[in-house]
Protein backbone atom coordinates (compact mmCIF):
# COMPACT_ATOMS: atom_id res chain seq x y z
CA UNK A 1 0.00 0.00 0.00
CA UNK A 2 1.07 3.61 -0.43
CA UNK A 3 2.50 5.21 2.71
CA UNK A 4 -0.53 7.46 3.09
CA UNK A 5 -3.08 4.63 2.71
CA UNK A 6 -5.27 4.39 5.81
CA UNK A 7 -7.57 1.76 7.35
CA UNK A 8 -10.46 2.33 4.87
CA UNK A 9 -8.20 1.70 1.83
CA UNK A 10 -6.66 -1.33 3.53
CA UNK A 11 -10.10 -2.71 4.39
CA UNK A 12 -11.24 -2.22 0.81
CA UNK A 13 -8.32 -4.26 -0.53
CA UNK A 14 -9.00 -7.01 2.01
CA UNK A 15 -12.65 -7.11 0.96
CA UNK A 16 -11.62 -7.51 -2.68
CA UNK A 17 -9.24 -10.34 -1.76
CA UNK A 18 -11.87 -12.12 0.30
CA UNK A 19 -14.59 -11.65 -2.29
CA UNK A 20 -12.36 -13.59 -4.68
CA UNK A 21 -12.21 -16.42 -2.12
CA UNK A 22 -8.64 -15.82 -0.86
CA UNK A 23 -7.17 -14.95 2.52
CA UNK A 24 -5.84 -11.43 3.20
CA UNK A 25 -2.92 -10.85 5.58
CA UNK A 26 -2.36 -7.31 6.76
CA UNK A 27 1.35 -6.97 7.58
CA UNK A 28 1.98 -3.55 9.09
CA UNK A 29 5.31 -1.81 8.60
CA UNK A 30 6.91 1.42 9.82
CA UNK A 31 6.38 3.17 6.48
CA UNK A 32 3.90 1.11 4.56
CA UNK A 33 1.44 -1.71 5.09
CA UNK A 34 1.76 -4.81 2.98
CA UNK A 35 -1.23 -7.04 2.30
CA UNK A 36 -0.35 -10.64 1.55
CA UNK A 37 -2.70 -12.92 -0.36
CA UNK A 38 -2.77 -16.67 0.22
CA UNK A 39 -5.21 -19.41 -0.68
CA UNK A 40 -4.95 -18.96 -4.45
CA UNK A 41 -4.05 -22.04 -6.46
CA UNK A 42 -2.55 -20.20 -9.42
CA UNK A 43 -1.26 -16.75 -10.42
CA UNK A 44 -3.57 -13.78 -9.82
CA UNK A 45 -4.16 -10.80 -12.05
CA UNK A 46 -2.39 -7.73 -10.62
CA UNK A 47 -4.97 -5.52 -12.32
CA UNK A 48 -7.64 -6.87 -9.94
CA UNK A 49 -5.91 -5.00 -7.11
CA UNK A 50 -3.91 -2.19 -8.65
CA UNK A 51 -7.01 -0.18 -9.49
CA UNK A 52 -8.03 0.10 -5.85
CA UNK A 53 -7.31 3.37 -4.01
CA UNK A 54 -4.19 3.35 -1.84
CA UNK A 55 -2.53 0.44 -3.64
CA UNK A 56 1.08 1.20 -4.61
CA UNK A 57 1.76 -1.98 -6.53
CA UNK A 58 0.74 -5.61 -6.80
CA UNK A 59 3.73 -7.92 -6.71
CA UNK A 60 3.78 -11.57 -7.61
CA UNK A 61 5.82 -13.43 -4.99
CA UNK A 62 8.00 -15.91 -6.81
CA UNK A 63 9.26 -17.76 -3.73
CA UNK A 64 7.46 -20.74 -2.15
CA UNK A 65 7.37 -18.83 1.14
CA UNK A 66 5.04 -15.92 0.57
CA UNK A 67 4.36 -13.92 3.72
CA UNK A 68 7.90 -14.15 5.12
CA UNK A 69 9.38 -13.08 1.80
CA UNK A 70 10.95 -9.69 1.22
CA UNK A 71 8.97 -9.59 -1.99
CA UNK A 72 5.83 -9.28 0.16
CA UNK A 73 7.32 -6.74 2.56
CA UNK A 74 10.47 -4.86 1.68
CA UNK A 75 11.23 -3.20 4.99
CA UNK A 76 12.51 -5.07 8.03
CA UNK A 77 10.00 -6.34 10.55
CA UNK A 78 10.45 -5.33 14.16
CA UNK A 79 8.95 -7.77 16.65
CA UNK A 80 8.12 -6.41 20.10
CA UNK A 81 8.75 -8.77 22.99
CA UNK A 82 7.10 -7.14 25.99
CA UNK A 83 8.37 -3.67 25.10
CA UNK A 84 11.69 -4.68 23.54
CA UNK A 85 11.94 -4.23 19.76
CA UNK A 86 13.77 -7.09 18.05
CA UNK A 87 14.89 -6.36 14.50
CA UNK A 88 15.33 -2.60 14.85
CA UNK A 89 18.59 -0.64 15.13
CA UNK A 90 19.45 -1.98 18.56
CA UNK A 91 20.99 -5.35 19.23
CA UNK A 92 19.00 -7.34 21.77
CA UNK A 93 20.60 -9.58 24.39
CA UNK A 94 18.61 -12.48 25.79
CA UNK A 95 20.26 -14.54 28.51
CA UNK A 96 19.27 -17.16 31.01
CA UNK A 97 19.66 -20.81 31.87
CA UNK A 98 18.84 -23.68 29.57
CA UNK A 99 16.27 -24.90 32.13
CA UNK A 100 14.46 -23.25 34.98
CA UNK A 101 15.70 -25.36 37.89
CA UNK A 102 14.32 -23.51 40.88
CA UNK A 103 13.19 -20.15 42.21
CA UNK A 104 16.57 -18.90 43.41
CA UNK A 105 18.38 -20.14 40.32
CA UNK A 106 16.13 -18.29 37.87
CA UNK A 107 15.96 -15.14 40.00
CA UNK A 108 19.75 -15.04 40.24
CA UNK A 109 20.12 -15.61 36.52
CA UNK A 110 17.58 -12.86 35.82
CA UNK A 111 19.41 -10.41 38.06
CA UNK A 112 22.67 -11.23 36.28
CA UNK A 113 21.11 -10.69 32.85
CA UNK A 114 19.60 -7.44 34.02
CA UNK A 115 22.86 -6.24 35.60
CA UNK A 116 24.73 -6.97 32.35
CA UNK A 117 22.24 -4.80 30.45
CA UNK A 118 20.31 -7.65 28.80
CA UNK A 119 16.65 -7.11 27.90
CA UNK A 120 15.18 -10.61 27.77
CA UNK A 121 15.32 -13.69 30.00
CA UNK A 122 15.35 -17.20 28.60
CA UNK A 123 14.69 -20.42 30.48
CA UNK A 124 12.88 -23.62 29.61
CA UNK A 125 10.11 -24.95 31.85
CA UNK A 126 9.36 -27.72 29.34
CA UNK A 127 12.52 -29.22 27.91
CA UNK A 128 12.96 -31.28 24.75
CA UNK A 129 15.60 -33.75 25.99
CA UNK A 130 17.34 -36.41 23.96
CA UNK A 131 16.90 -38.92 26.78
CA UNK A 132 13.55 -39.54 28.50
CA UNK A 133 15.54 -40.05 31.72
CA UNK A 134 17.10 -36.56 31.66
CA UNK A 135 15.59 -33.62 33.56
CA UNK A 136 12.42 -32.65 31.68
CA UNK A 137 11.82 -29.25 33.28
CA UNK A 138 9.67 -27.96 36.14
CA UNK A 139 6.55 -27.45 34.01
CA UNK A 140 4.06 -24.88 35.25
CA UNK A 141 6.03 -24.25 38.43
CA UNK A 142 8.93 -23.19 36.22
CA UNK A 143 6.64 -20.81 34.34
CA UNK A 144 5.55 -19.29 37.66
CA UNK A 145 9.17 -18.71 38.63
CA UNK A 146 9.81 -17.05 35.28
CA UNK A 147 6.84 -14.75 35.85
CA UNK A 148 8.27 -13.84 39.25
CA UNK A 149 11.64 -13.08 37.66
CA UNK A 150 9.91 -10.81 35.14
CA UNK A 151 8.04 -9.11 37.95
CA UNK A 152 11.27 -8.37 39.79
CA UNK A 153 13.56 -7.45 36.88
CA UNK A 154 11.22 -6.25 34.14
CA UNK A 155 12.86 -8.64 31.67
CA UNK A 156 10.60 -10.16 29.00
CA UNK A 157 10.35 -13.95 29.16
CA UNK A 158 11.33 -16.29 26.31
CA UNK A 159 10.36 -19.89 27.04
CA UNK A 160 9.77 -22.98 24.95
CA UNK A 161 6.54 -24.76 24.09
CA UNK A 162 7.37 -28.37 23.22
CA UNK A 163 3.89 -29.54 22.22
CA UNK A 164 0.38 -28.45 21.40
CA UNK A 165 -0.94 -29.87 24.71
CA UNK A 166 1.05 -27.45 26.85
CA UNK A 167 1.04 -24.52 24.44
CA UNK A 168 -1.84 -22.67 26.14
CA UNK A 169 -0.07 -22.73 29.47
CA UNK A 170 3.30 -21.61 28.09
CA UNK A 171 1.61 -18.88 26.08
CA UNK A 172 -0.15 -17.54 29.15
CA UNK A 173 3.15 -16.89 30.92
CA UNK A 174 5.57 -16.19 28.07
CA UNK A 175 6.29 -12.86 26.39
CA UNK A 176 7.75 -14.83 23.49
CA UNK A 177 7.12 -18.52 22.83
CA UNK A 178 10.14 -20.47 21.65
CA UNK A 179 9.75 -23.30 19.16
CA UNK A 180 12.86 -25.46 19.43
CA UNK A 181 15.10 -26.90 16.73
CA UNK A 182 13.60 -30.39 17.15
CA UNK A 183 10.14 -29.00 16.54
CA UNK A 184 10.92 -26.74 13.60
CA UNK A 185 8.84 -28.96 11.34
CA UNK A 186 6.19 -29.92 13.88
CA UNK A 187 3.49 -28.47 11.71
CA UNK A 188 0.61 -28.73 14.19
CA UNK A 189 2.75 -26.88 16.76
CA UNK A 190 3.68 -24.25 14.17
CA UNK A 191 0.00 -23.77 13.31
CA UNK A 192 -0.86 -23.41 16.99
CA UNK A 193 1.91 -20.81 17.35
CA UNK A 194 0.43 -19.06 14.34
CA UNK A 195 -2.87 -18.67 16.19
CA UNK A 196 -1.12 -17.18 19.23
CA UNK A 197 -1.09 -13.47 20.04
CA UNK A 198 2.42 -13.79 21.48
CA UNK A 199 5.59 -13.39 19.41
CA UNK A 200 7.37 -16.59 18.44
CA UNK A 201 11.08 -17.39 18.46
CA UNK A 202 11.57 -20.07 15.82
CA UNK A 203 14.85 -21.96 16.04
CA UNK A 204 16.38 -23.49 12.94
CA UNK A 205 16.15 -27.27 12.75
CA UNK A 206 19.49 -28.97 13.16
CA UNK A 207 19.61 -30.15 9.57
CA UNK A 208 17.29 -27.72 7.90
CA UNK A 209 18.02 -25.77 4.76
CA UNK A 210 17.33 -22.07 4.55
CA UNK A 211 14.22 -22.74 2.51
CA UNK A 212 12.86 -25.27 5.02
CA UNK A 213 13.55 -22.75 7.82
CA UNK A 214 11.61 -20.01 6.03
CA UNK A 215 8.79 -22.40 5.11
CA UNK A 216 8.46 -23.30 8.81
CA UNK A 217 8.11 -19.59 9.61
CA UNK A 218 5.56 -19.34 6.81
CA UNK A 219 3.31 -21.82 8.67
CA UNK A 220 3.16 -19.39 11.59
CA UNK A 221 2.50 -16.30 9.48
CA UNK A 222 -0.06 -18.15 7.36
CA UNK A 223 -2.20 -18.57 10.49
CA UNK A 224 -2.06 -14.83 11.17
CA UNK A 225 0.85 -14.37 13.59
CA UNK A 226 3.34 -12.07 11.89
CA UNK A 227 5.56 -11.65 14.95
CA UNK A 228 8.20 -14.25 14.28
CA UNK A 229 11.88 -13.99 15.22
CA UNK A 230 14.17 -16.50 13.53
CA UNK A 231 17.11 -18.02 15.40
CA UNK A 232 20.24 -19.68 14.02
CA UNK A 233 21.43 -22.25 16.56
CA UNK A 234 23.88 -24.35 14.59
CA UNK A 235 23.45 -27.28 12.26
CA UNK A 236 24.79 -30.79 12.44
CA UNK A 237 27.92 -31.43 10.38
CA UNK A 238 30.89 -33.82 10.43
CA UNK A 239 32.77 -31.40 12.69
CA UNK A 240 33.21 -32.80 16.18
CA UNK A 241 35.13 -30.02 17.91
CA UNK A 242 31.78 -28.35 18.54
CA UNK A 243 28.29 -29.66 19.31
CA UNK A 244 26.89 -28.01 16.18
CA UNK A 245 28.34 -25.84 13.43
CA UNK A 246 27.09 -22.29 13.81
CA UNK A 247 26.07 -21.24 10.33
CA UNK A 248 26.52 -17.49 10.50
CA UNK A 249 26.21 -17.04 6.76
CA UNK A 250 22.53 -17.81 7.17
CA UNK A 251 22.12 -14.38 8.83
CA UNK A 252 22.76 -12.28 5.70
CA UNK A 253 21.11 -15.03 3.61
CA UNK A 254 17.88 -14.74 5.63
CA UNK A 255 18.07 -10.95 5.52
CA UNK A 256 18.24 -11.07 1.73
CA UNK A 257 15.17 -13.22 1.41
CA UNK A 258 13.00 -12.27 4.38
CA UNK A 259 11.89 -9.22 6.33
CA UNK A 260 11.84 -11.19 9.60
CA UNK A 261 14.52 -10.51 12.23
CA UNK A 262 17.14 -13.17 12.93
CA UNK A 263 19.09 -13.67 16.14
CA UNK A 264 21.87 -16.13 16.95
CA UNK A 265 22.28 -18.72 19.72
CA UNK A 266 26.03 -19.25 20.19
CA UNK A 267 25.43 -21.63 23.13
CA UNK A 268 23.67 -24.41 21.21
CA UNK A 269 25.57 -23.30 18.13
CA UNK A 270 28.89 -24.39 19.62
CA UNK A 271 28.15 -26.38 22.78
CA UNK A 272 31.34 -24.98 24.30
CA UNK A 273 31.60 -22.13 26.78
CA UNK A 274 34.88 -20.78 25.40
CA UNK A 275 33.40 -20.45 21.90
CA UNK A 276 30.40 -18.37 22.99
CA UNK A 277 32.05 -14.95 23.15
CA UNK A 278 33.93 -15.11 19.83
CA UNK A 279 30.89 -16.45 17.98
CA UNK A 280 28.62 -13.87 19.61
CA UNK A 281 30.81 -11.07 18.32
CA UNK A 282 30.98 -12.71 14.92
CA UNK A 283 27.17 -12.94 14.89
CA UNK A 284 26.83 -9.24 15.62
CA UNK A 285 29.40 -8.41 12.97
CA UNK A 286 27.39 -10.56 10.54
CA UNK A 287 24.34 -8.41 11.21
CA UNK A 288 22.28 -10.47 13.66
CA UNK A 289 19.53 -8.56 15.48
CA UNK A 290 20.45 -10.12 18.80
CA UNK A 291 21.83 -13.03 20.77
CA UNK A 292 20.27 -15.69 22.95
CA UNK A 293 22.90 -17.03 25.34
CA UNK A 294 22.70 -19.60 28.11
CA UNK A 295 23.61 -18.02 31.44
CA UNK A 296 23.61 -19.92 34.72
CA UNK A 297 24.55 -18.72 38.23
CA UNK A 298 26.67 -21.87 38.59
CA UNK A 299 27.16 -23.54 35.19
CA UNK A 300 29.02 -26.51 36.72
CA UNK A 301 25.85 -27.40 38.66
CA UNK A 302 23.41 -26.91 35.76
CA UNK A 303 20.86 -29.69 35.15
CA UNK A 304 21.16 -29.13 31.40
CA UNK A 305 23.67 -27.52 29.05
CA UNK A 306 26.08 -26.31 31.73
CA UNK A 307 29.07 -26.74 29.40
CA UNK A 308 27.62 -24.16 27.02
CA UNK A 309 26.49 -21.70 29.69
CA UNK A 310 28.27 -18.55 30.83
CA UNK A 311 28.41 -17.50 34.46
CA UNK A 312 27.15 -14.01 35.37
CA UNK A 313 30.61 -12.44 35.20
CA UNK A 314 31.33 -13.89 31.76
CA UNK A 315 27.95 -12.73 30.50
CA UNK A 316 28.66 -9.23 31.82
CA UNK A 317 31.97 -9.16 29.96
CA UNK A 318 30.35 -10.45 26.79
CA UNK A 319 27.64 -7.78 26.99
CA UNK A 320 30.35 -5.10 27.30
CA UNK A 321 32.20 -6.43 24.27
CA UNK A 322 28.96 -6.58 22.29
CA UNK A 323 28.25 -2.97 23.17
CA UNK A 324 31.73 -1.89 22.08
CA UNK A 325 31.47 -3.83 18.83
CA UNK A 326 28.01 -2.46 18.04
CA UNK A 327 29.33 1.09 18.47
CA UNK A 328 32.27 0.34 16.23
CA UNK A 329 29.95 -0.97 13.53
CA UNK A 330 27.75 2.10 13.82
CA UNK A 331 30.82 4.31 13.49
CA UNK A 332 31.85 2.46 10.38
CA UNK A 333 28.42 2.98 8.90
CA UNK A 334 28.67 6.66 9.68
CA UNK A 335 32.17 6.90 8.21
CA UNK A 336 30.89 5.59 4.90
CA UNK A 337 28.50 8.53 4.73
CA UNK A 338 31.23 11.22 5.08
CA UNK A 339 31.39 13.49 2.03
CA UNK A 340 34.49 13.02 -0.07
CA UNK A 341 36.71 16.10 0.07
CA UNK A 342 39.67 16.28 -2.27
C1 LIG B 1 17.19 -24.49 24.17
O1 LIG B 1 17.10 -23.32 23.77
O2 LIG B 1 17.45 -24.79 25.35
C2 LIG B 1 17.09 -25.58 23.19
C3 LIG B 1 16.69 -26.79 23.53
O3 LIG B 1 17.46 -25.18 21.96
P1 LIG B 1 17.42 -25.94 20.54
O4 LIG B 1 15.99 -26.21 20.28
O5 LIG B 1 18.04 -24.95 19.62
O6 LIG B 1 18.24 -27.20 20.69
MN1 LIG C 1 19.83 -25.62 26.20
Amino acid sequence: MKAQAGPPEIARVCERIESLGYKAHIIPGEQRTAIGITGNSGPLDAADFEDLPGVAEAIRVSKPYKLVSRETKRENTTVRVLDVPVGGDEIVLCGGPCSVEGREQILEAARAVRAAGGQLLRGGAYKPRTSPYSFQGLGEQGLRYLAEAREETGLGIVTEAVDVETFDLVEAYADCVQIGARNMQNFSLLRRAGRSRKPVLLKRGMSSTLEEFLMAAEYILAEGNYNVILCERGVRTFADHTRNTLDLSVVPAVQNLSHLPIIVDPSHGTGKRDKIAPMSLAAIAAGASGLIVEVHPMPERALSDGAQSLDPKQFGELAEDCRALAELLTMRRRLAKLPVTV
Side-chain angles (χ1 to χ4, degrees):
M1 301 297 287
K2 291 178 183 154
Q4 65 272 23
E9 285 89 7
I10 291 169
R12 179 108 186 263
V13 174
C14 292
E15 272 164 31
R16 169 77 56 92
I17 293 168
E18 277 150 24
S19 74
L20 293 166
Y22 312 129
K23 189 168 173 185
H25 302 263
I26 303 171
I27 311 173
E30 303 267 309
Q31 315 288 336
R32 317 195 312 174
T33 296
I35 305 176
I37 305 174
T38 59
N40 50 308
S41 48
L44 301 180
D45 191 353
D48 282 343
F49 310 97
E50 276 174 337
D51 63 332
L52 291 171
V55 173
E57 53 188 336
I59 301 161
R60 186 161 297 146
V61 179
S62 59
K63 298 285 194 297
Y65 37 87
K66 305 293 177 190
L67 302 170
V68 310
S69 168
R70 249 201 216 283
E71 290 175 297
T72 297
K73 182 173 181 248
R74 256 180 249 154
E75 50 181 277
N76 293 337
T77 287
T78 301
V79 176
R80 282 188 178 273
V81 179
L82 207 54
D83 52 2
V84 178
V86 182
D89 292 337
E90 290 172 355
I91 291 155
V92 172
L93 292 183
C94 174
C98 180
S99 308
V100 181
E101 299 168 3
R103 185 172 175 273
E104 278 313 307
Q105 176 248 16
I106 193 67
L107 286 174
E108 256 188 73
R111 288 174 197 136
V113 171
R114 167 94 214 204
Q119 299 83 33
L120 301 174
L121 177 68
R122 62 148 292 147
Y126 295 90
K127 295 302 302 177
R129 301 306 302 279
T130 300
S131 164
Y133 310 118
S134 299
F135 177 60
Q136 303 286 312
L138 296 182
E140 189 173 5
Q141 185 59 255
L143 295 173
R144 282 195 283 263
Y145 292 146
L146 283 167
E148 194 179 338
R150 170 178 51 209
E151 188 81 8
E152 186 191 307
T153 59
L155 299 173
I157 302 299
V158 180
T159 193
E160 179 165 353
V162 292
D163 49 33
V164 172
E165 292 93 308
T166 51
F167 196 99
D168 289 11
L169 201 54
V170 172
E171 179 186 43
Y173 287 90
D175 299 302
C176 178
V177 179
Q178 177 175 320
I179 305 277
R182 291 157 192 80
N183 271 321
M184 191 203 79
Q185 287 189 317
N186 179 338
F187 300 117
S188 51
L189 188 62
L190 294 174
R191 283 208 181 90
R192 175 61 188 86
R195 292 192 295 274
S196 175
R197 312 277 308 235
K198 296 280 171 77
V200 175
L201 178 72
L202 177 65
K203 300 189 91 177
R204 181 182 180 186
M206 57 184 83
S207 63
S208 90
T209 63
L210 173 53
E211 187 167 301
E212 287 162 347
F213 192 17
L214 294 176
M215 290 306 284
E218 184 77 13
Y219 265 88
I220 303 172
L221 273 76
E223 292 291 326
N225 187 350
Y226 309 116
N227 292 311
V228 175
I229 303 165
L230 302 170
C231 178
E232 161 60 25
R233 48 77 72 206
V235 291
R236 191 165 280 191
T237 68
F238 55 82
D240 57 4
H241 66 288
T242 49
R243 179 179 178 185
N244 292 296
T245 297
L246 190 64
D247 178 17
L248 287 181
S249 70
V250 87
V251 171
V254 160
Q255 289 166 341
N256 260 337
L257 297 172
S258 176
H259 53 88
L260 296 176
I262 177 162
I263 68 168
V264 168
D265 175 349
S267 290
H268 294 86
T270 64
K272 307 261 168 91
R273 183 175 307 124
D274 65 332
K275 314 277 184 298
I276 294 175
M279 296 319 280
S280 294
L281 298 174
I284 291 173
S289 289
L291 300 171
I292 179 165
V293 180
E294 290 187 328
V295 181
H296 194 286
M298 276 185 286
E300 62 290 350
R301 298 255 187 100
L303 296 182
S304 60
D305 287 350
Q308 58 182 44
S309 302
L310 298 181
D311 68 21
K313 183 164 171 285
Q314 291 163 333
F315 185 65
E317 287 163 0
L318 174 61
E320 245 176 73
D321 283 347
C322 290
R323 210 165 290 128
L325 177 62
E327 273 168 34
L328 185 69
L329 294 171
T330 308
M331 265 171 57
R332 280 178 52 194
R333 276 205 295 268
R334 260 190 228 126
L335 263 180
K337 281 187 205 149
L338 281 177
V340 184
T341 48
V342 187

